[in-house]
Amino acid sequence: MRRAVRERFLPPEATQVVWSSNRGDRIFSPIFHQSAFFLLVAVLLFFMKTPIRVAVTGAAGQIGYSLLFRIASGSMFGPDQPVALNLIEIEPAMKALEGVVMELDDCAFPLLTDIRATASLDEGFSSVNWALLVGSVPRKAGMERKDLLGINGKIFTGQGQAIARNAASDIRTLVVGNPCNTNCLIAMNSAPEIPKERWFAMTRLDENRGKTQIARKAGVHVTDVTNLAIWGNHSSTQYPDFYNAQIGGKPVTEVISDHDWLQGEFIETVQKRGAAIIAARGASSAASAANAIVDTVRSLTVPTPSGDWFSVAVCSDGSYDLNRGLMISYPIRTDGSSWEIVQGVPVNDFSRAKISATVQELQEEHDAVADLLPKG
Ligand code: NAD
Ligand code: LMR
């Protein structure tokens, strides 16, 4: 890997400059020249960041086609952080993946140090720092996401085990493939060696959708909307908690006087946005999902702005009296390395009923996949 980094980041002219600038200098010995050269290379390598290796499953799919280019361009880890990609697909999609790799090559991304494309889970998760589990079947019109459990659930046992066997010691995993909360539960329980706080399921797309709806209604820019937590499941029971959301630092319920809209149409629009996109596009959201993956990883790796929070499903520790061990979306904040569930967020009777309903659904999904989870 070092060699690959060196080749990409130290162009041939750099070495030529060192030698030519020394060539006419007769005061110093050749040994000095050589030492100076190696010292310079050592200093360059020292300051060069080690690439973050990211595995993406379903890399030849719709989301993959948007996501990979965002990661490679620096949107996920920043403009000075090299990245390496491990792209995982099933055998029938390997030819398509070859084309995606050709396109990545043709972008000549300065930050992209290495690409490995494979259908082997062991190879694909080898030494990865992040695993983005996208690969799985999307739903069609008329289906709920949980209808995919029978098809997709079992994919995540093998992936969880392969991550445990092969990934880097700091591995963090984000599950996107639906139903993502319960698929993540399956993967996490298949890899008991990995600490539970390293597993996440994506509800950020719902948060982003909700913020846009609120901003439109209030006539403000979306960046004015903060503190919008999604509670529970990435499904049509999820609860976008407008009661604790803010617009320019004021409660949303003060700025938007139409509380019927907030309690009704707003929640329903966010809950059913995925289905509305499938109905309009004939395929499920892809670019906005890839964007939400970038947002989730960034939010987990840079400090959360003071007083704000973001949404991601994590393994519940029982906070807010919700079922311990399920993958529940909560308001989360981080200092950039470790995260916490934000405590003390007010939950009124309306919110409590909505949160209970979505967690109840997660419990039912858990019970439906009991054969894929450890006994007892
Ligand atoms: P897609 O069908 O375009 O691509 C899925 C890819 O996964 C395909 O290339 C397929 O070959 C691959 N795949 C299937 N099984 C695999 C396996 N076992 N290992 C590796 N790769 C495998 O679908 P898409 O639009 O990219 O969506 C992928 C998943 O993401 C779906 O389950 C979808 O419902 C979900 N999704 C979740 C969110 C969210 O917010 N959590 C948002 C959008 C989509
Ligand atoms: C979404 O929210 O867009 C995805 O989960 C895809 C879907 O099935 O709705």
Side-chain angles (χ1 to χ4, degrees):
M1 186 190 304
R2 277 274 180 228
R3 199 167 144 256
V5 175
R6 196 164 59 226
E7 279 167 0
R8 244 171 209 275
F9 290 93
L10 193 63
E13 313 84 82
T15 48
Q16 281 160 18
V17 168
V18 173
W19 289 113
S20 65
S21 68
N22 287 338
R23 203 168 288 145
D25 184 347
R26 294 176 196 279
I27 301 171
F28 301 111
S29 71
I31 291 173
F32 178 86
H33 293 160
Q34 220 172 5
S35 313
F37 169 73
F38 285 120
L39 187 67
L40 179 65
V41 170
V43 167
L44 278 174
L45 285 176
F46 180 79
F47 285 109
M48 207 174 281
K49 290 183 169 180
T50 307
I52 294 177
R53 188 165 284 279
V54 185
V56 179
T57 66
Q62 284 202 91
I63 295 176
Y65 195 63
S66 288
L67 176 63
L68 303 180
F69 300 84
R70 299 283 306 276
I71 301 173
S73 68
S75 301
M76 186 172 273
F77 296 107
D80 61 350
Q81 173 59 59
V83 288
L85 289 172
N86 284 19
L87 309 182
I88 304 175
E89 260 296 351
I90 48 175
E91 279 296 351
M94 286 307 287
K95 185 75 190 162
L97 185 57
E98 205 181 302
V100 176
V101 172
M102 287 160 75
E103 287 206 68
L104 281 165
D105 283 342
D106 294 349
C107 290
F109 285 119
L111 291 171
L112 184 57
T113 63
D114 186 30
I115 307 173
R116 297 175 191 168
T118 180
S120 149
L121 292 182
D122 283 330
E123 208 182 308
F125 290 121
S126 177
S127 305
V128 297
N129 309 103
W130 275 91
L132 307 176
L133 306 188
V134 179
S136 52
V137 177
R139 67 174 164 156
K140 304 274 181 307
M143 292 171 78
E144 286 293 333
R145 296 178 186 90
K146 63 186 167 196
D147 297 336
L148 295 168
L149 256 187
I151 313 170
N152 287 340
K154 52 187 175 293
I155 295 176
F156 292 85
T157 52
Q159 293 191 353
Q161 290 161 359
I163 290 170
R165 276 197 306 272
N166 298 285
S169 58
D170 64 348
I171 179 68
R172 280 178 278 181
T173 300
L174 173 67
V175 179
V176 177
N178 278 320
C180 61
N181 300 55
T182 300
N183 288 338
C184 188
L185 182 82
I186 295 168
M188 180 179 74
N189 279 289
S190 305
E193 306 87 333
I194 300 176
K196 295 222 179 321
E197 65 268 18
R198 309 274 196 82
W199 297 88
F200 309 94
M202 191 167 88
T203 54
R204 181 52 169 273
L205 181 52
D206 309 298
E207 176 186 323
N208 290 348
R209 288 167 171 166
K211 282 180 168 168
T212 298
Q213 295 302 317
I214 287 174
R216 289 252 170 90
K217 182 76 174 174
V220 299
H221 191 263
V222 71
T223 51
D224 293 329
V225 184
T226 62
N227 302 79
L228 179 64
I230 303 295
W231 293 81
N233 200 1
H234 173 63
S235 76
S236 54
T237 64
Q238 66 179 275
Y239 176 50
D241 180 6
F242 60 89
Y243 275 112
N244 290 296
Q246 298 179 11
I247 297 175
K250 288 192 185 146
V252 160
T253 46
E254 265 180 33
V255 181
I256 297 177
S257 54
D258 186 352
H259 290 190
D260 286 347
W261 179 83
L262 286 168
Q263 290 191 340
E265 194 180 327
F266 164 69
I267 295 178
E268 209 171 302
T269 301
V270 179
Q271 288 175 334
K272 297 191 174 160
R273 186 69 164 184
I277 288 165
I278 293 171
R281 218 170 81 84
S284 65
S285 64
S288 57
N291 179 66
I293 296 171
V294 172
D295 283 351
T296 306
V297 174
R298 263 203 96 59
S299 288
L300 284 165
T301 49
V302 300
T304 311
S306 173
D308 202 357
W309 51 69
F310 62 94
S311 312
V312 67
V314 297
C315 181
S316 172
D317 61 354
S319 287
Y320 294 90
D321 286 329
L322 303 181
N323 307 25
R324 189 183 293 269
L326 295 180
M327 295 302 301
I328 297 176
S329 182
Y330 278 105
I332 301 291
R333 73 170 154 235
T334 178
D335 58 9
S337 55
S338 58
W339 57 265
E340 62 183 8
I341 297 171
V342 180
Q343 302 296 327
V345 174
V347 176
N348 63 19
D349 289 348
F350 179 90
S351 299
R352 177 55 69 183
K354 295 283 183 199
I355 294 170
S356 297
T358 188
V359 173
Q360 174 59 30
E361 182 185 44
L362 281 170
Q363 185 62 49
E364 286 162 15
E365 289 184 18
H366 165 279
D367 297 346
V369 297
D371 55 328
L372 300 176
L373 300 173
K375 306 282 168 269

